PDB file of all heavy atoms in Angstrom:
ATOM      1  N   VAL N  30      25.033  79.082 -26.273  1.00  0.00           N
ATOM      2  CA  VAL N  30      24.810  77.699 -26.965  1.00  0.00           C
ATOM      3  C   VAL N  30      23.466  77.129 -26.456  1.00  0.00           C
ATOM      4  O   VAL N  30      22.729  76.526 -27.203  1.00  0.00           O
ATOM      5  CB  VAL N  30      26.020  76.841 -26.603  1.00  0.00           C
ATOM      6  CG1 VAL N  30      25.699  75.358 -27.033  1.00  0.00           C
ATOM      7  CG2 VAL N  30      27.252  77.257 -27.344  1.00  0.00           C
ATOM      8  N   ALA N  31      23.219  77.275 -25.091  1.00  0.00           N
ATOM      9  CA  ALA N  31      21.992  76.716 -24.568  1.00  0.00           C
ATOM     10  C   ALA N  31      20.767  77.425 -25.213  1.00  0.00           C
ATOM     11  O   ALA N  31      19.757  76.734 -25.471  1.00  0.00           O
ATOM     12  CB  ALA N  31      21.984  76.818 -23.040  1.00  0.00           C
ATOM     13  N   LEU N  32      20.811  78.701 -25.403  1.00  0.00           N
ATOM     14  CA  LEU N  32      19.701  79.395 -26.018  1.00  0.00           C
ATOM     15  C   LEU N  32      19.440  78.921 -27.453  1.00  0.00           C
ATOM     16  O   LEU N  32      18.313  78.894 -27.945  1.00  0.00           O
ATOM     17  CB  LEU N  32      19.963  80.932 -26.015  1.00  0.00           C
ATOM     18  CG  LEU N  32      19.849  81.679 -24.660  1.00  0.00           C
ATOM     19  CD1 LEU N  32      20.327  83.068 -24.810  1.00  0.00           C
ATOM     20  CD2 LEU N  32      18.507  81.556 -24.065  1.00  0.00           C
ATOM     21  N   ARG N  33      20.527  78.501 -28.073  1.00  0.00           N
ATOM     22  CA  ARG N  33      20.421  78.072 -29.490  1.00  0.00           C
ATOM     23  C   ARG N  33      19.841  76.684 -29.628  1.00  0.00           C
ATOM     24  O   ARG N  33      19.563  76.178 -30.733  1.00  0.00           O
ATOM     25  CB  ARG N  33      21.752  78.149 -30.181  1.00  0.00           C
ATOM     26  CG  ARG N  33      21.735  78.313 -31.704  1.00  0.00           C
ATOM     27  CD  ARG N  33      23.021  78.529 -32.332  1.00  0.00           C
ATOM     28  NE  ARG N  33      23.807  77.302 -32.422  1.00  0.00           N
ATOM     29  CZ  ARG N  33      24.914  77.272 -33.061  1.00  0.00           C
ATOM     30  NH1 ARG N  33      25.439  78.275 -33.715  1.00  0.00           N
ATOM     31  NH2 ARG N  33      25.595  76.064 -33.161  1.00  0.00           N
ATOM     32  N   THR N  34      19.597  76.001 -28.493  1.00  0.00           N
ATOM     33  CA  THR N  34      19.031  74.670 -28.501  1.00  0.00           C
ATOM     34  C   THR N  34      17.581  74.697 -29.111  1.00  0.00           C
ATOM     35  O   THR N  34      17.158  73.723 -29.607  1.00  0.00           O
ATOM     36  CB  THR N  34      18.936  74.114 -27.052  1.00  0.00           C
ATOM     37  OG1 THR N  34      20.235  74.201 -26.479  1.00  0.00           O
ATOM     38  CG2 THR N  34      18.487  72.632 -27.049  1.00  0.00           C
ATOM     39  N   LEU N  35      17.036  75.863 -29.138  1.00  0.00           N
ATOM     40  CA  LEU N  35      15.698  76.012 -29.732  1.00  0.00           C
ATOM     41  C   LEU N  35      15.747  75.650 -31.216  1.00  0.00           C
ATOM     42  O   LEU N  35      14.645  75.466 -31.808  1.00  0.00           O
ATOM     43  CB  LEU N  35      15.197  77.473 -29.539  1.00  0.00           C
ATOM     44  CG  LEU N  35      13.753  77.708 -29.789  1.00  0.00           C
ATOM     45  CD1 LEU N  35      12.866  76.880 -28.794  1.00  0.00           C
ATOM     46  CD2 LEU N  35      13.438  79.210 -29.607  1.00  0.00           C
ATOM     47  N   VAL N  36      16.910  75.659 -31.828  1.00  0.00           N
ATOM     48  CA  VAL N  36      17.061  75.256 -33.235  1.00  0.00           C
ATOM     49  C   VAL N  36      16.498  73.870 -33.538  1.00  0.00           C
ATOM     50  O   VAL N  36      16.050  73.635 -34.653  1.00  0.00           O
ATOM     51  CB  VAL N  36      18.497  75.385 -33.719  1.00  0.00           C
ATOM     52  CG1 VAL N  36      19.295  74.205 -33.194  1.00  0.00           C
ATOM     53  CG2 VAL N  36      18.598  75.467 -35.236  1.00  0.00           C
ATOM     54  N   ILE N  37      16.485  72.976 -32.453  1.00  0.00           N
ATOM     55  CA  ILE N  37      16.033  71.558 -32.731  1.00  0.00           C
ATOM     56  C   ILE N  37      14.563  71.511 -33.061  1.00  0.00           C
ATOM     57  O   ILE N  37      14.177  70.944 -34.118  1.00  0.00           O
ATOM     58  CB  ILE N  37      16.398  70.720 -31.521  1.00  0.00           C
ATOM     59  CG1 ILE N  37      17.884  70.716 -31.342  1.00  0.00           C
ATOM     60  CG2 ILE N  37      15.903  69.299 -31.744  1.00  0.00           C
ATOM     61  CD1 ILE N  37      18.358  70.058 -30.060  1.00  0.00           C
ATOM     62  N   PRO N  38      13.634  72.065 -32.184  1.00  0.00           N
ATOM     63  CA  PRO N  38      12.236  71.998 -32.553  1.00  0.00           C
ATOM     64  C   PRO N  38      11.926  72.734 -33.833  1.00  0.00           C
ATOM     65  O   PRO N  38      11.087  72.306 -34.573  1.00  0.00           O
ATOM     66  CB  PRO N  38      11.485  72.584 -31.324  1.00  0.00           C
ATOM     67  CG  PRO N  38      12.560  73.329 -30.574  1.00  0.00           C
ATOM     68  CD  PRO N  38      13.822  72.579 -30.787  1.00  0.00           C
ATOM     69  N   ILE N  39      12.618  73.868 -34.066  1.00  0.00           N
ATOM     70  CA  ILE N  39      12.306  74.642 -35.299  1.00  0.00           C
ATOM     71  C   ILE N  39      12.749  73.810 -36.530  1.00  0.00           C
ATOM     72  O   ILE N  39      12.085  73.740 -37.558  1.00  0.00           O
ATOM     73  CB  ILE N  39      13.063  75.936 -35.226  1.00  0.00           C
ATOM     74  CG1 ILE N  39      12.560  76.878 -34.156  1.00  0.00           C
ATOM     75  CG2 ILE N  39      12.923  76.736 -36.609  1.00  0.00           C
ATOM     76  CD1 ILE N  39      13.261  78.151 -33.913  1.00  0.00           C
ATOM     77  N   THR N  40      13.938  73.197 -36.406  1.00  0.00           N
ATOM     78  CA  THR N  40      14.418  72.367 -37.537  1.00  0.00           C
ATOM     79  C   THR N  40      13.461  71.195 -37.798  1.00  0.00           C
ATOM     80  O   THR N  40      13.220  70.837 -38.984  1.00  0.00           O
ATOM     81  CB  THR N  40      15.857  71.835 -37.295  1.00  0.00           C
ATOM     82  OG1 THR N  40      16.667  72.963 -36.970  1.00  0.00           O
ATOM     83  CG2 THR N  40      16.379  71.138 -38.523  1.00  0.00           C
ATOM     84  N   ILE N  41      12.981  70.564 -36.712  1.00  0.00           N
ATOM     85  CA  ILE N  41      12.150  69.380 -36.931  1.00  0.00           C
ATOM     86  C   ILE N  41      10.785  69.755 -37.495  1.00  0.00           C
ATOM     87  O   ILE N  41      10.166  69.112 -38.317  1.00  0.00           O
ATOM     88  CB  ILE N  41      11.936  68.650 -35.561  1.00  0.00           C
ATOM     89  CG1 ILE N  41      13.261  67.951 -35.159  1.00  0.00           C
ATOM     90  CG2 ILE N  41      10.833  67.637 -35.616  1.00  0.00           C
ATOM     91  CD1 ILE N  41      13.266  67.166 -33.905  1.00  0.00           C
ATOM     92  N   LEU N  42      10.328  71.022 -37.119  1.00  0.00           N
ATOM     93  CA  LEU N  42       9.125  71.561 -37.711  1.00  0.00           C
ATOM     94  C   LEU N  42       9.324  71.733 -39.248  1.00  0.00           C
ATOM     95  O   LEU N  42       8.481  71.447 -40.047  1.00  0.00           O
ATOM     96  CB  LEU N  42       8.741  72.857 -37.062  1.00  0.00           C
ATOM     97  CG  LEU N  42       7.530  73.614 -37.653  1.00  0.00           C
ATOM     98  CD1 LEU N  42       6.282  72.780 -37.570  1.00  0.00           C
ATOM     99  CD2 LEU N  42       7.351  74.991 -36.962  1.00  0.00           C
ATOM    100  N   LEU N  43      10.528  72.349 -39.592  1.00  0.00           N
ATOM    101  CA  LEU N  43      10.816  72.542 -41.023  1.00  0.00           C
ATOM    102  C   LEU N  43      11.025  71.211 -41.747  1.00  0.00           C
ATOM    103  O   LEU N  43      10.737  71.093 -42.914  1.00  0.00           O
ATOM    104  CB  LEU N  43      12.051  73.382 -41.171  1.00  0.00           C
ATOM    105  CG  LEU N  43      11.893  74.843 -40.675  1.00  0.00           C
ATOM    106  CD1 LEU N  43      13.214  75.573 -40.774  1.00  0.00           C
ATOM    107  CD2 LEU N  43      10.817  75.579 -41.444  1.00  0.00           C
ATOM    108  N   ASP N  44      11.562  70.182 -40.998  1.00  0.00           N
ATOM    109  CA  ASP N  44      11.663  68.856 -41.598  1.00  0.00           C
ATOM    110  C   ASP N  44      10.301  68.325 -41.987  1.00  0.00           C
ATOM    111  O   ASP N  44      10.156  67.654 -43.034  1.00  0.00           O
ATOM    112  CB  ASP N  44      12.328  67.852 -40.553  1.00  0.00           C
ATOM    113  CG  ASP N  44      13.801  68.053 -40.458  1.00  0.00           C
ATOM    114  OD1 ASP N  44      14.437  68.780 -41.313  1.00  0.00           O
ATOM    115  OD2 ASP N  44      14.421  67.479 -39.592  1.00  0.00           O
ATOM    116  N   TYR N  45       9.354  68.580 -41.109  1.00  0.00           N
ATOM    117  CA  TYR N  45       7.988  68.125 -41.401  1.00  0.00           C
ATOM    118  C   TYR N  45       7.349  68.864 -42.604  1.00  0.00           C
ATOM    119  O   TYR N  45       6.760  68.303 -43.489  1.00  0.00           O
ATOM    120  CB  TYR N  45       7.116  68.278 -40.159  1.00  0.00           C
ATOM    121  CG  TYR N  45       5.671  68.043 -40.402  1.00  0.00           C
ATOM    122  CD1 TYR N  45       5.112  66.721 -40.642  1.00  0.00           C
ATOM    123  CD2 TYR N  45       4.754  69.117 -40.334  1.00  0.00           C
ATOM    124  CE1 TYR N  45       3.772  66.535 -40.878  1.00  0.00           C
ATOM    125  CE2 TYR N  45       3.405  68.887 -40.573  1.00  0.00           C
ATOM    126  CZ  TYR N  45       2.881  67.617 -40.818  1.00  0.00           C
ATOM    127  OH  TYR N  45       1.556  67.431 -41.055  1.00  0.00           O
ATOM    128  N   LEU N  46       7.561  70.191 -42.578  1.00  0.00           N
ATOM    129  CA  LEU N  46       6.869  71.058 -43.602  1.00  0.00           C
ATOM    130  C   LEU N  46       7.562  70.968 -44.965  1.00  0.00           C
ATOM    131  O   LEU N  46       6.914  70.981 -45.967  1.00  0.00           O
ATOM    132  CB  LEU N  46       6.949  72.515 -43.061  1.00  0.00           C
ATOM    133  CG  LEU N  46       6.099  72.875 -41.876  1.00  0.00           C
ATOM    134  CD1 LEU N  46       6.306  74.340 -41.465  1.00  0.00           C
ATOM    135  CD2 LEU N  46       4.621  72.611 -42.047  1.00  0.00           C
ATOM    136  N   ILE N  47       8.947  70.771 -44.935  1.00  0.00           N
ATOM    137  CA  ILE N  47       9.678  70.836 -46.205  1.00  0.00           C
ATOM    138  C   ILE N  47      10.095  69.445 -46.685  1.00  0.00           C
ATOM    139  O   ILE N  47       9.962  69.143 -47.833  1.00  0.00           O
ATOM    140  CB  ILE N  47      10.948  71.721 -45.985  1.00  0.00           C
ATOM    141  CG1 ILE N  47      10.536  73.126 -45.667  1.00  0.00           C
ATOM    142  CG2 ILE N  47      11.833  71.642 -47.277  1.00  0.00           C
ATOM    143  CD1 ILE N  47      11.725  74.082 -45.369  1.00  0.00           C
ATOM    144  N   LEU N  48      10.555  68.587 -45.714  1.00  0.00           N
ATOM    145  CA  LEU N  48      11.019  67.218 -46.158  1.00  0.00           C
ATOM    146  C   LEU N  48      10.040  66.171 -45.830  1.00  0.00           C
ATOM    147  O   LEU N  48      10.290  64.980 -46.031  1.00  0.00           O
ATOM    148  CB  LEU N  48      12.317  66.932 -45.381  1.00  0.00           C
ATOM    149  CG  LEU N  48      13.482  67.982 -45.599  1.00  0.00           C
ATOM    150  CD1 LEU N  48      14.684  67.531 -44.789  1.00  0.00           C
ATOM    151  CD2 LEU N  48      13.790  68.024 -47.078  1.00  0.00           C
ATOM    152  N   SER N  49       8.755  66.508 -45.281  1.00  0.00           N
ATOM    153  CA  SER N  49       7.732  65.524 -44.967  1.00  0.00           C
ATOM    154  C   SER N  49       8.136  64.444 -43.992  1.00  0.00           C
ATOM    155  O   SER N  49       7.765  63.301 -44.159  1.00  0.00           O
ATOM    156  CB  SER N  49       7.241  64.953 -46.273  1.00  0.00           C
ATOM    157  OG  SER N  49       6.747  65.950 -47.132  1.00  0.00           O
ATOM    158  N   LYS N  50       8.972  64.794 -43.050  1.00  0.00           N
ATOM    159  CA  LYS N  50       9.377  63.858 -41.949  1.00  0.00           C
ATOM    160  C   LYS N  50       8.461  64.091 -40.742  1.00  0.00           C
ATOM    161  O   LYS N  50       8.557  65.128 -40.111  1.00  0.00           O
ATOM    162  CB  LYS N  50      10.865  64.017 -41.650  1.00  0.00           C
ATOM    163  CG  LYS N  50      11.790  63.725 -42.811  1.00  0.00           C
ATOM    164  CD  LYS N  50      13.207  63.884 -42.410  1.00  0.00           C
ATOM    165  CE  LYS N  50      14.138  63.485 -43.523  1.00  0.00           C
ATOM    166  NZ  LYS N  50      14.123  62.110 -43.858  1.00  0.00           N
ATOM    167  N   VAL N  51       7.627  63.121 -40.415  1.00  0.00           N
ATOM    168  CA  VAL N  51       6.671  63.276 -39.340  1.00  0.00           C
ATOM    169  C   VAL N  51       7.245  62.834 -38.009  1.00  0.00           C
ATOM    170  O   VAL N  51       7.804  61.754 -37.891  1.00  0.00           O
ATOM    171  CB  VAL N  51       5.406  62.367 -39.624  1.00  0.00           C
ATOM    172  CG1 VAL N  51       4.391  62.570 -38.496  1.00  0.00           C
ATOM    173  CG2 VAL N  51       4.837  62.719 -40.979  1.00  0.00           C
ATOM    174  N   PRO N  52       7.182  63.719 -36.953  1.00  0.00           N
ATOM    175  CA  PRO N  52       7.764  63.394 -35.649  1.00  0.00           C
ATOM    176  C   PRO N  52       6.993  62.265 -34.984  1.00  0.00           C
ATOM    177  O   PRO N  52       5.794  62.229 -35.070  1.00  0.00           O
ATOM    178  CB  PRO N  52       7.693  64.690 -34.864  1.00  0.00           C
ATOM    179  CG  PRO N  52       7.453  65.730 -35.883  1.00  0.00           C
ATOM    180  CD  PRO N  52       6.766  65.068 -37.032  1.00  0.00           C
ATOM    181  N   THR N  53       7.727  61.433 -34.230  1.00  0.00           N
ATOM    182  CA  THR N  53       7.065  60.312 -33.460  1.00  0.00           C
ATOM    183  C   THR N  53       6.667  60.871 -32.061  1.00  0.00           C
ATOM    184  O   THR N  53       7.051  62.020 -31.708  1.00  0.00           O
ATOM    185  CB  THR N  53       8.004  59.126 -33.291  1.00  0.00           C
ATOM    186  OG1 THR N  53       9.138  59.575 -32.552  1.00  0.00           O
ATOM    187  CG2 THR N  53       8.345  58.554 -34.641  1.00  0.00           C
ATOM    188  N   GLU N  54       6.014  60.028 -31.285  1.00  0.00           N
ATOM    189  CA  GLU N  54       5.599  60.485 -29.897  1.00  0.00           C
ATOM    190  C   GLU N  54       6.839  60.765 -29.031  1.00  0.00           C
ATOM    191  O   GLU N  54       6.839  61.735 -28.284  1.00  0.00           O
ATOM    192  CB  GLU N  54       4.714  59.405 -29.237  1.00  0.00           C
ATOM    193  CG  GLU N  54       3.357  59.251 -29.912  1.00  0.00           C
ATOM    194  CD  GLU N  54       2.538  58.215 -29.175  1.00  0.00           C
ATOM    195  OE1 GLU N  54       3.023  57.596 -28.251  1.00  0.00           O
ATOM    196  OE2 GLU N  54       1.407  57.979 -29.624  1.00  0.00           O
ATOM    197  N   LEU N  55       7.870  59.895 -29.174  1.00  0.00           N
ATOM    198  CA  LEU N  55       9.041  60.123 -28.422  1.00  0.00           C
ATOM    199  C   LEU N  55       9.745  61.411 -28.779  1.00  0.00           C
ATOM    200  O   LEU N  55      10.268  62.172 -27.863  1.00  0.00           O
ATOM    201  CB  LEU N  55      10.065  58.976 -28.672  1.00  0.00           C
ATOM    202  CG  LEU N  55      11.296  58.898 -27.782  1.00  0.00           C
ATOM    203  CD1 LEU N  55      10.931  58.800 -26.311  1.00  0.00           C
ATOM    204  CD2 LEU N  55      12.242  57.726 -28.190  1.00  0.00           C
ATOM    205  N   LYS N  56       9.653  61.824 -30.043  1.00  0.00           N
ATOM    206  CA  LYS N  56      10.221  63.078 -30.465  1.00  0.00           C
ATOM    207  C   LYS N  56       9.496  64.199 -29.849  1.00  0.00           C
ATOM    208  O   LYS N  56      10.044  65.238 -29.452  1.00  0.00           O
ATOM    209  CB  LYS N  56      10.230  63.229 -31.983  1.00  0.00           C
ATOM    210  CG  LYS N  56      11.225  62.383 -32.721  1.00  0.00           C
ATOM    211  CD  LYS N  56      11.097  62.643 -34.250  1.00  0.00           C
ATOM    212  CE  LYS N  56      11.845  61.655 -35.055  1.00  0.00           C
ATOM    213  NZ  LYS N  56      11.625  61.891 -36.496  1.00  0.00           N
ATOM    214  N   TRP N  57       8.114  64.072 -29.800  1.00  0.00           N
ATOM    215  CA  TRP N  57       7.331  65.101 -29.234  1.00  0.00           C
ATOM    216  C   TRP N  57       7.641  65.416 -27.740  1.00  0.00           C
ATOM    217  O   TRP N  57       7.772  66.503 -27.306  1.00  0.00           O
ATOM    218  CB  TRP N  57       5.804  64.822 -29.333  1.00  0.00           C
ATOM    219  CG  TRP N  57       5.281  65.051 -30.737  1.00  0.00           C
ATOM    220  CD1 TRP N  57       4.736  64.125 -31.570  1.00  0.00           C
ATOM    221  CD2 TRP N  57       5.239  66.312 -31.428  1.00  0.00           C
ATOM    222  NE1 TRP N  57       4.341  64.692 -32.752  1.00  0.00           N
ATOM    223  CE2 TRP N  57       4.599  66.002 -32.698  1.00  0.00           C
ATOM    224  CE3 TRP N  57       5.685  67.612 -31.181  1.00  0.00           C
ATOM    225  CZ2 TRP N  57       4.425  67.010 -33.641  1.00  0.00           C
ATOM    226  CZ3 TRP N  57       5.486  68.576 -32.122  1.00  0.00           C
ATOM    227  CH2 TRP N  57       4.860  68.316 -33.340  1.00  0.00           C
ATOM    228  N   VAL N  58       7.889  64.292 -27.010  1.00  0.00           N
ATOM    229  CA  VAL N  58       8.278  64.382 -25.576  1.00  0.00           C
ATOM    230  C   VAL N  58       9.677  65.146 -25.479  1.00  0.00           C
ATOM    231  O   VAL N  58       9.803  66.051 -24.623  1.00  0.00           O
ATOM    232  CB  VAL N  58       8.332  62.989 -24.936  1.00  0.00           C
ATOM    233  CG1 VAL N  58       8.914  63.089 -23.523  1.00  0.00           C
ATOM    234  CG2 VAL N  58       6.950  62.382 -24.913  1.00  0.00           C
ATOM    235  N   GLY N  59      10.568  64.641 -26.300  1.00  0.00           N
ATOM    236  CA  GLY N  59      11.886  65.306 -26.388  1.00  0.00           C
ATOM    237  C   GLY N  59      11.816  66.741 -26.637  1.00  0.00           C
ATOM    238  O   GLY N  59      12.503  67.630 -26.064  1.00  0.00           O
ATOM    239  N   LEU N  60      11.032  67.103 -27.686  1.00  0.00           N
ATOM    240  CA  LEU N  60      10.884  68.484 -28.099  1.00  0.00           C
ATOM    241  C   LEU N  60      10.291  69.364 -26.994  1.00  0.00           C
ATOM    242  O   LEU N  60      10.741  70.498 -26.760  1.00  0.00           O
ATOM    243  CB  LEU N  60       9.983  68.615 -29.353  1.00  0.00           C
ATOM    244  CG  LEU N  60      10.591  68.073 -30.614  1.00  0.00           C
ATOM    245  CD1 LEU N  60       9.521  68.180 -31.722  1.00  0.00           C
ATOM    246  CD2 LEU N  60      11.773  68.897 -31.037  1.00  0.00           C
ATOM    247  N   SER N  61       9.346  68.804 -26.239  1.00  0.00           N
ATOM    248  CA  SER N  61       8.751  69.512 -25.134  1.00  0.00           C
ATOM    249  C   SER N  61       9.798  69.828 -24.052  1.00  0.00           C
ATOM    250  O   SER N  61       9.849  70.993 -23.535  1.00  0.00           O
ATOM    251  CB  SER N  61       7.562  68.700 -24.505  1.00  0.00           C
ATOM    252  OG  SER N  61       6.606  68.430 -25.503  1.00  0.00           O
ATOM    253  N   LEU N  62      10.645  68.892 -23.806  1.00  0.00           N
ATOM    254  CA  LEU N  62      11.711  69.124 -22.818  1.00  0.00           C
ATOM    255  C   LEU N  62      12.728  70.142 -23.256  1.00  0.00           C
ATOM    256  O   LEU N  62      13.212  70.947 -22.511  1.00  0.00           O
ATOM    257  CB  LEU N  62      12.438  67.812 -22.486  1.00  0.00           C
ATOM    258  CG  LEU N  62      11.604  66.802 -21.681  1.00  0.00           C
ATOM    259  CD1 LEU N  62      12.397  65.480 -21.530  1.00  0.00           C
ATOM    260  CD2 LEU N  62      11.230  67.335 -20.304  1.00  0.00           C
ATOM    261  N   VAL N  63      13.016  70.102 -24.571  1.00  0.00           N
ATOM    262  CA  VAL N  63      13.952  71.100 -25.140  1.00  0.00           C
ATOM    263  C   VAL N  63      13.373  72.514 -25.001  1.00  0.00           C
ATOM    264  O   VAL N  63      14.081  73.396 -24.597  1.00  0.00           O
ATOM    265  CB  VAL N  63      14.207  70.824 -26.606  1.00  0.00           C
ATOM    266  CG1 VAL N  63      14.967  71.929 -27.295  1.00  0.00           C
ATOM    267  CG2 VAL N  63      15.101  69.522 -26.774  1.00  0.00           C
ATOM    268  N   LEU N  64      12.092  72.647 -25.292  1.00  0.00           N
ATOM    269  CA  LEU N  64      11.454  73.936 -25.177  1.00  0.00           C
ATOM    270  C   LEU N  64      11.423  74.398 -23.698  1.00  0.00           C
ATOM    271  O   LEU N  64      11.683  75.543 -23.418  1.00  0.00           O
ATOM    272  CB  LEU N  64       9.999  73.894 -25.617  1.00  0.00           C
ATOM    273  CG  LEU N  64       9.876  73.695 -27.197  1.00  0.00           C
ATOM    274  CD1 LEU N  64       8.417  73.439 -27.605  1.00  0.00           C
ATOM    275  CD2 LEU N  64      10.371  74.957 -27.913  1.00  0.00           C
ATOM    276  N   VAL N  65      11.140  73.482 -22.795  1.00  0.00           N
ATOM    277  CA  VAL N  65      11.110  73.834 -21.343  1.00  0.00           C
ATOM    278  C   VAL N  65      12.531  74.315 -20.882  1.00  0.00           C
ATOM    279  O   VAL N  65      12.663  75.336 -20.237  1.00  0.00           O
ATOM    280  CB  VAL N  65      10.635  72.694 -20.453  1.00  0.00           C
ATOM    281  CG1 VAL N  65      10.842  72.971 -19.030  1.00  0.00           C
ATOM    282  CG2 VAL N  65       9.136  72.399 -20.741  1.00  0.00           C
TER     283      VAL N  65
END
């Protein structure tokens, strides 16, 4: 389950590319921590 947490940054990237939802600065910080 922890390894699948990577789905969040990938989904948000697809949200931006497909649904045109732009991440905020707080999201970028959170995404960085998820990746780490």
Side-chain angles (χ1 to χ4, degrees):
V30 170
L32 289 172
R33 207 174 75 171
T34 308
L35 194 62
V36 74
I37 299 169
I39 296 175
T40 306
I41 289 179
L42 175 63
L43 293 176
D44 282 350
Y45 171 70
L46 295 175
I47 298 174
L48 303 179
S49 301
K50 294 182 179 292
V51 182
T53 61
E54 292 181 1
L55 189 59
K56 288 184 193 175
W57 284 119
V58 174
L60 289 176
S61 300
L62 289 176
V63 169
L64 289 172
V65 170

